[in-house]
Amino acid sequence: MAWPNIFQRGTLLSQFSHHHVAVFLLTFFSYSLLHASRKTFSNVKVSISKQWTPSAFNKSIELPVEIWSSNHLFPSTEEATLFLGTLDTIFLFSYAVGLFVSGIVGDRLNLRWVLSFGMCSSALVVFVFGTLTEWLHFYNKGLYCSLWIVNGLLQSTGWPCVVAVMGNWFGKAGRGVVFGLWSACASVGNILGACLASSVLQYGYEYAFLVTAAVQFAGGIIIFFGLLVSPEEIGLPGIEAKENFEEDSHRPLISGAENEDEAEPNYSIQEDKTITQVKAISFYQACCLPGVIAYSLAYACLKLVNYSFFFWLPFYLSNNFGWKEAEADKLSIWYDVGGIIGGTLQGFISDVLQKRAPVLALSLLLAVGSLVGYSRSPNDKSINALLMAVTGFFIGGPSNMISSAISADLGRQELIQGSSEALATVTGIVDGTGSIGAAVGQYLVSLMQDNLGWMWVFYFFILMKK
């Protein structure tokens, strides 16, 4: 077996400059902040549900419920929970639509501008949704739905842009481990959001939204002034120019090919023809690239399960075990810890094997067993945290690989050498399709949980893994 380039030419660190480190950290934390604001909503669902129902303030049995209902949205927490699931679905559908558009826009405009605009605008929407409406005591279902649609569209600018920027700076040598570690940004954002929310939740859920929105807005300003989109901006050679001199560096790892030396001359010829005129490919051309549709559909099923844990895990822990909301928020971090370790380790293994698909297949197979085990977790926080981390390892890990390293592989295959602008479009297609699956899943989860119970939700997750 031929060892990957990371072992043939020394360590990865020797190939990176301080510009690479800066790009890694800026893109990492920019998307972490976007995820932190999303995580806030899932972490305060119990508090929101209580605030939106009359029982939160009805301390007297002498007053009719109608009086209390006139100033609130729902007569019961069950209906409030169903509406929260509807908001998740609305967000993900608008997020999915936005991803298809944002990928195209990102390939045609400055990625830094698009990313900074999305972060700052989304922060303002989150502030209005969770903080301003509570300060004004203005509760309106139509307003909440409208704001969350806009928030989904704005947040969709994040992932295609950061993956495209990372793809511009980091070549295929060691991409699995680099992107595996970097893709932990979503999980780090979840942890950050959980910590921020739980730290101020005692003062009211509106302050959880306020803190995360303020931090995200500040991050958008930093991105606007500090992010370098590509090496060419500062006069350095681009990734394709550097990889033109490296062995077996053009064929994507997902193809599974073992002998890549024979095709080297053809890639050089294509590079010479196209390097002088870079042109973004169309949406249809990106869909027709080998592997794009297959991985997009697989990611739809995977993201459905992953985002169900993301949106509903704190609520499940509070609802099923009776744990306090702040404790459930902190405990849910272990799912993300497992995802971080899983994405990094599985990315490293895929680099060593020079194949991604076998690693994904094995992980998803083991994910079925982890879901069965977690669904039968006892009312013990230590055991639950351990099973949660294992589940995150086998679900969050593959999810991170597909959305980052594999998307970059798909957007840099030899059919489009010289068209680096395909990166954002391909990433938008993969993540957009995944978000459609996740959107459908969130509404189904709320229905199943309300009518059948949590065990049927886990059966549904197992079916999606298969």
Side-chain angles (χ1 to χ4, degrees), residues 48 50 76 81 94 116 128 140 164 193 219 221 289 303 314-315 369 403 409:
I48 293 178
K50 292 179 179 178
S76 66
T81 301
S94 62
S116 179
V128 174
N140 184 277
I221 299 299
L289 290 174
K303 192 169 184 177
F315 184 87
S403 63
D409 289 342

Side-chain angles (χ1 to χ4, degrees), residues 338-360:
I340 293 173
I341 299 174
T344 305
L345 182 58
Q346 292 168 34
F348 175 78
I349 295 174
S350 70
D351 279 341
V352 173
L353 298 178
Q354 301 194 60
K355 296 179 180 179
R356 310 240 193 259
V359 180
L360 287 174

Side-chain angles (χ1 to χ4, degrees), residues 176-193:
V177 65
V178 171
F179 274 73
L181 180 62
W182 175 82
S183 63
C185 58
S187 298
V188 170
N190 294 343
I191 296 173
L192 178 62

Side-chain angles (χ1 to χ4, degrees), residues 400-450:
N400 290 344
M401 281 187 62
I402 293 179
S403 63
S404 59
I406 289 179
S407 293
D409 289 342
L410 293 170
R412 284 236 180 237
Q413 49 190 304
E414 71 267 17
L415 294 178
I416 49 173
Q417 286 298 310
S419 179
S420 61
E421 283 76 7
L423 273 171
T425 302
V426 169
T427 303
I429 293 172
V430 174
D431 204 19
T433 307
S435 296
I436 292 176
V440 174
Q442 301 325 296
Y443 191 72
L444 293 176
V445 166
S446 62
L447 286 178
M448 289 183 182
Q449 181 272 328
D450 190 43

Side-chain angles (χ1 to χ4, degrees), residues 285-296:
Q285 288 173 319
C287 289
C288 293
L289 290 174
V292 171
I293 296 299
Y295 275 99
S296 297

Side-chain angles (χ1 to χ4, degrees), residues 52 73-74 79 83 87 90 139-146:
W52 286 354
L73 292 178
F74 304 100
E79 292 189 27
F83 181 70
L87 285 177
I90 289 174
Y139 310 106
N140 184 277
K141 289 185 284 187
L143 176 63
Y144 286 132
C145 291
S146 300

